[in-house]
Amino acid sequence: MISVLVLLGLLTAAVVLLVVKLTRRGSGSTENADGLLIEQARRGQAGADRTSFSSLAMHNVPPTMSDSYHRRR
């Protein structure tokens, strides 16, 4: 019984530690222009990847015509 309580105590402490760390970290935006340009490029690439690798895009073409095949070379 004591070992179960110790385990639950350690898990609770880990959760509290993670919550405190994540709330103190802050999620502010980037302050300089270089960081903003990097964020904008990554956001655009993520949107293009979502379009290229969607289920509709991947399952309605022959295997050698998909974007994933052309990106491997």
Side-chain angles (χ1 to χ4, degrees):
M1 182 65 179
I2 292 175
S3 61
V4 172
L5 292 175
V6 169
L7 176 66
L8 290 176
L10 289 172
L11 288 175
T12 303
V15 168
V16 168
L17 179 68
L18 288 173
V19 167
V20 168
K21 179 153 181 75
L22 290 175
T23 55
R24 288 185 60 201
R25 188 168 69 170
S27 61
S29 62
T30 305
E31 297 168 357
N32 57 14
D34 292 335
L36 291 173
L37 290 173
I38 291 169
E39 287 179 12
Q40 184 178 15
R42 297 291 186 247
R43 204 174 310 118
Q45 183 63 45
D49 287 345
R50 279 192 297 273
T51 303
S52 294
F53 295 109
S54 69
S55 179
L56 184 63
M58 294 304 290
H59 293 295
N60 287 334
V61 295
T64 57
M65 296 301 294
S66 67
D67 283 345
S68 63
Y69 179 77
H70 293 289
R71 288 186 185 184
R72 277 189 236 150
R73 291 194 269 163

